[in-house]
Amino acid sequence: MHRRIFAPGALAAASLLLAVPASAATFAPGAPGIGDPYYPSYGNGGYDVSHYDLRLKYQPKTDELEGTATVLAKTTQDLSSFDLDFLLDVSEVRVNGVKAGFASSGEHELVVTPKTPLPKGTPVTVVVRYSGVPSTKSAYGFTTWHRTPDGAVAADEPESAWWWFPSNDHPSDKATYDVSVAVPDGTQAISNGALTSTSSKLGWTRYTWRQDKPQATYLATLALGRFDITTSTSEGGVPVINAYSKDLGDNDGAARASVERTGELVDWLSGYFGPYPFATAGGYVPNTTTGYALETQTRVYYSPKQFAAGSNTSVVVHELAHQWYGDDVSLKGWKDIWINEGFARYAQWLWSEHEGEGTTRELADYVYASHPADDAFWTVKPGDPGADGQFDLAVYDRGALAIEALRHAVGDDAFFTILKGWPRAHAYGNASVADFQRYAEQISGKPLSSLFDTWLFEPTKPGSPATGASLARSAAQVTQPKSWKKIEATNDVHGH
């Protein structure tokens, strides 16, 4: 019989190994990015969020925000730690009721280390207590928190959540939301979905909003200030909530003349895209200096500048079209932006035709003829434009040309079946350009790879056979449709 002798340190190490489950070797930190090649550090790996509960308090005079975020999620791997995308100052984090370690990392990462590792498939409740002055925070040299004379607005793309709540900030991880905000009496808090309650106490009014359908983080919005709020119901039965800053000045009338048509336009778009996918619709116009509009889910953000030249129903059509194409069906990765912007632009073309101000074919002719073959416009590939070209004019206009080309190739019956069927086929989910091509081929029964390659992925001006002789006309043969100036001005380009 032989006795094996261990040194004291080796014996202690052996005992430790016996005490640790064999599966412990599989626990690892979640990735600090979700894997999007355009934005490698955006989103996080290792878990999937199902719900955000945000309880906030905001002081407009000082821009101070404090809050408690409760994030409900499930792990998708064995996790030793995980990241949240966030910028404000954190005072406490709890994971499943137990205090957790936390630290800031990189430009916008909050690294959370639970007291005990989390096995794959574990339901997780993460509570983050925080505070700060969002307007003093920046990442990568920019901020998406916009101060206004009486408050602030969070609305931007591809990121805005970092400045007001911790999140898994990528469109592929959608969740439902409860957003409850206390503001001084006389100030309003506007967010997504339905207003479920208001209550006043000790000089503060609390507004609670609920978004009961999955929503991408960049589509979550928060507006704080003094607003005139209007409510109505569309003829098709959709409740509409709109809000206008009380100090819009000269733009007030044009903004209301446009945004107050939301119910009418939701019903009209439903004829093309199918039933409206959410419980409420609407928009808000704060007194900001930005120039863009953004399809924040159910409560569209509009800069006052969109109405500086008069009423602009075209931009309302664009942003409401996103409620189906972009919000209901969201992109899988940011390279799939064409599905959002191309179809929202094409909706503007359909509205132009409805108003007798230029048909979709006339608008397609005009765009095609307006850009000679050596124009850099044709070097941008709408199907994969790169992060720097994500909101380039070509993604909108060449993207809409691709849709007109598809219509010509498959015929109106199949085309309008595709328009209406796509949101139903991928309701409340995510999809890619490749998914859309497969769906269009399935509905039309035609091979479409050549058409998609030509219009979405070739960095050159397509030849006329792709869409028929109509698009081969020269610029001299094409007149500018009446609606073009309004359409041209409504790129929802989100600048920082």
Side-chain angles (χ1 to χ4, degrees), residues 242-305:
N242 295 322
Y244 308 89
S245 177
K246 291 185 176 181
D247 58 357
L248 285 179
D250 293 342
N251 293 334
D252 184 81
R256 291 173 187 262
S258 308
V259 179
E260 285 300 303
R261 296 185 69 179
T262 293
E264 169 198 352
L265 296 174
V266 163
D267 289 347
W268 178 77
L269 285 165
S270 296
Y272 288 102
F273 300 150
Y276 182 70
F278 304 116
T280 66
Y284 70 96
V285 190
N287 186 10
T288 66
T289 58
T290 61
Y292 58 85
L294 180 64
E295 64 270 20
T296 40
Q297 192 163 305
T298 69
R299 195 101 324 103
V300 173
Y301 164 84
Y302 299 100
S303 163
K305 290 183 180 179

Side-chain angles (χ1 to χ4, degrees), residues 349-350 352-354 356-365 404 481:
W349 292 8
L350 289 168
S352 170
E353 186 169 295
H354 174 77
E357 295 182 348
T359 67
T360 62
R361 178 54 57 88
E362 288 170 338
L363 287 160
D365 285 346
E404 181 70 8

Side-chain angles (χ1 to χ4, degrees), residues 31-45:
I34 210 165
D36 193 306
Y38 282 18
Y39 304 99
S41 66
Y42 287 24
N44 305 288

Side-chain angles (χ1 to χ4, degrees), residues 407-452:
R407 180 177 179 179
H408 178 84
V410 303
D412 277 5
D413 287 347
F415 177 74
F416 289 110
T417 298
I418 291 166
L419 281 194
K420 189 172 288 187
W422 173 255
R424 183 172 63 247
H426 294 275
Y428 310 118
N430 300 79
S432 66
V433 173
D435 292 328
F436 184 84
Q437 179 183 323
R438 284 190 291 270
Y439 182 77
E441 290 175 334
Q442 174 191 336
I443 297 301
S444 68
K446 295 185 176 184
L448 297 170
S449 59
S450 178
L451 182 145
F452 276 79

Side-chain angles (χ1 to χ4, degrees), residues 2-91:
H2 299 279
R3 176 180 290 177
R4 182 169 294 174
I5 304 297
F6 289 97
L11 184 61
S15 300
L16 181 62
L17 286 172
L18 291 172
V20 177
S23 60
T26 67
F27 288 97
I34 210 165
D36 193 306
Y38 282 18
Y39 304 99
S41 66
Y42 287 24
N44 305 288
Y47 64 95
D48 182 78
V49 178
S50 60
H51 184 73
Y52 294 96
D53 182 276
L54 310 177
R55 189 169 181 85
L56 311 173
K57 186 176 183 179
Y58 179 74
Q59 177 54 261
K61 290 181 180 179
T62 59
D63 194 40
E64 291 177 277
L65 179 71
E66 58 182 276
T68 300
T70 303
V71 183
L72 305 182
K74 180 177 283 189
T75 57
T76 58
Q77 70 175 69
D78 293 336
L79 281 178
S80 59
S81 66
F82 59 90
D83 286 22
L84 291 164
D85 299 300
F86 196 45
L87 287 173
L88 296 188
D89 304 318
V90 175
S91 59

Side-chain angles (χ1 to χ4, degrees), residues 74-155:
K74 180 177 283 189
T75 57
T76 58
Q77 70 175 69
D78 293 336
L79 281 178
S80 59
S81 66
F82 59 90
D83 286 22
L84 291 164
D85 299 300
F86 196 45
L87 287 173
L88 296 188
D89 304 318
V90 175
S91 59
E92 182 182 56
V93 178
R94 289 179 178 266
V95 177
N96 291 340
V98 179
K99 283 189 176 181
F102 61 91
S104 296
S105 176
E107 290 277 351
H108 66 278
E109 300 289 339
L110 175 67
V111 182
V112 177
T113 304
K115 187 173 182 179
T116 57
L118 303 171
K120 180 179 179 180
T122 301
V124 181
T125 301
V126 183
V127 177
V128 182
R129 299 185 188 277
Y130 56 94
S131 61
V133 179
S135 58
T136 66
K137 304 294 184 179
S138 65
Y140 306 105
F142 64 82
T143 179
T144 66
W145 181 266
H146 310 297
R147 289 300 308 274
T148 63
D150 53 12
V153 170

Side-chain angles (χ1 to χ4, degrees), residues 111-357:
V111 182
V112 177
T113 304
K115 187 173 182 179
T116 57
L118 303 171
K120 180 179 179 180
T122 301
V124 181
T125 301
V126 183
V127 177
V128 182
R129 299 185 188 277
Y130 56 94
S131 61
V133 179
S135 58
T136 66
K137 304 294 184 179
S138 65
Y140 306 105
F142 64 82
T143 179
T144 66
W145 181 266
H146 310 297
R147 289 300 308 274
T148 63
D150 53 12
V153 170
D156 214 319
E157 182 182 8
E159 68 289 288
S160 70
W162 311 345
W163 282 262
W164 64 289
F165 69 97
S167 68
N168 191 12
D169 191 28
H170 191 270
S172 60
D173 192 2
K174 299 166 73 170
T176 55
Y177 288 72
D178 283 307
V179 178
S180 181
V181 191
V183 289
D185 290 346
T187 298
Q188 287 82 32
I190 309 296
S191 192
N192 310 83
L195 181 63
T196 60
S197 69
T198 59
S199 60
S200 295
K201 185 178 181 180
L202 301 176
W204 293 81
T205 302
R206 180 168 291 279
Y207 295 83
T208 300
W209 296 85
R210 170 164 290 177
Q211 175 57 270
D212 64 353
K213 300 298 183 187
Q215 175 177 278
T217 44
Y218 84 94
L219 297 173
T221 193
L222 182 65
L224 307 148
R226 296 178 180 270
F227 291 95
D228 178 24
I229 299 174
T230 67
T231 60
S232 61
T233 302
S234 79
E235 191 174 359
V238 178
V240 178
I241 305 170
N242 295 322
Y244 308 89
S245 177
K246 291 185 176 181
D247 58 357
L248 285 179
D250 293 342
N251 293 334
D252 184 81
R256 291 173 187 262
S258 308
V259 179
E260 285 300 303
R261 296 185 69 179
T262 293
E264 169 198 352
L265 296 174
V266 163
D267 289 347
W268 178 77
L269 285 165
S270 296
Y272 288 102
F273 300 150
Y276 182 70
F278 304 116
T280 66
Y284 70 96
V285 190
N287 186 10
T288 66
T289 58
T290 61
Y292 58 85
L294 180 64
E295 64 270 20
T296 40
Q297 192 163 305
T298 69
R299 195 101 324 103
V300 173
Y301 164 84
Y302 299 100
S303 163
K305 290 183 180 179
Q306 290 289 334
F307 312 105
S311 62
N312 186 0
T313 54
S314 187
V315 71
V316 181
V317 168
H318 183 105
E319 303 307 335
L320 291 177
H322 277 310
Q323 303 304 303
W324 286 265
Y325 282 80
D327 295 10
D328 179 8
V329 185
S330 300
L331 40 75
K332 279 186 177 176
W334 282 108
K335 70 181 180 65
D336 300 309
I337 192 69
W338 166 73
I339 298 180
N340 294 18
E341 302 304 346
F343 283 88
R345 177 68 98 216
Y346 197 79
Q348 291 178 271
W349 292 8
L350 289 168
W351 177 249
S352 170
E353 186 169 295
H354 174 77
E355 294 291 275
E357 295 182 348

